[in-house]
Amino acid sequence: MASLHTISLSAEARSRVRGRRTTDQGLEVVLHLPRTGPLQPGERLSCEQGRVVVEVAAAPEHLLAVEASTPLALLQAAYHLGNRHLPMEIQPRRLLIPADGVLERMLRDRGLTVAPLRQEFHPEPGAYGAASRHRHGAGASGP
């Protein structure tokens, strides 16, 4: 019977599909997955022998929630942040970005409301990332 582990990863760590990681239960695993897109929360990885199954979870991260008084002001904020190639989660009435004091000041200076928060981060995959979403079936190595 396979042992089930979870691995809580930041959005950035979910995009690195190769290298050593440690599960939430303390087991060291080595990921060696195809480079076809970031890991998605809920995905399960297994070692070749099937003795270990690791479920991917999104770890809480320090973020900034950006809100605006008008849709146009929020769209302009998304444009300026996108120009910096910043990972961004786009929600109906706000943007979420990694916490950064310089960007926070810039956004406030533009008249936006910015609030720090800590939660899971699911940034947009980018122009080419949407087509490469997939499911991982194997590739985690256990002991």
Side-chain angles (χ1 to χ4, degrees), residues 64 81 84 86 97-98 100-108:
L64 296 174
L81 293 168
R84 289 168 173 76
L86 193 70
I97 60 171
D100 179 289
V102 172
L103 290 175
E104 182 176 357
R105 281 188 298 282
M106 185 263 308
L107 293 164
R108 287 184 193 280

Side-chain angles (χ1 to χ4, degrees), residues 26 54 111 124:
V54 178
E124 288 292 312

Side-chain angles (χ1 to χ4, degrees), residues 12 28-30 40 68 73-74 81 94 96 109 113 116 122 127 132:
E12 182 181 340
E28 187 172 285
V29 296
V30 177
Q40 299 299 316
L74 192 62
L81 293 168
R94 69 180 185 174
L96 299 181
D109 288 347
T113 302
H122 302 279
S132 66

Side-chain angles (χ1 to χ4, degrees), residues 49-131:
Q49 299 83 13
R51 293 185 314 225
V52 177
V53 175
V54 178
E55 185 169 328
V56 176
E61 301 185 48
H62 293 283
L63 304 171
L64 296 174
V66 181
E67 296 181 355
S69 58
T70 67
L72 178 59
L74 192 62
L75 188 59
Q76 289 170 328
Y79 171 80
H80 289 290
L81 293 168
N83 250 354
R84 289 168 173 76
H85 302 282
L86 193 70
M88 183 183 336
E89 182 174 335
I90 300 171
Q91 297 181 346
R93 291 187 168 78
R94 69 180 185 174
L95 307 171
L96 299 181
I97 60 171
D100 179 289
V102 172
L103 290 175
E104 182 176 357
R105 281 188 298 282
M106 185 263 308
L107 293 164
R108 287 184 193 280
D109 288 347
R110 293 186 60 80
L112 296 145
T113 302
V114 183
L117 62 116
R118 183 166 166 79
Q119 69 176 51
E120 294 178 2
F121 185 43
H122 302 279
E124 288 292 312
Y128 302 103

Side-chain angles (χ1 to χ4, degrees), residues 16-21 29-33 39 45 139-141:
R16 294 190 312 261
V17 294
R18 295 175 188 260
R20 293 187 183 280
R21 306 285 185 278
V29 296
V30 177
L31 298 181
H32 187 73
L33 303 168
L39 295 167
L45 311 172
S141 302

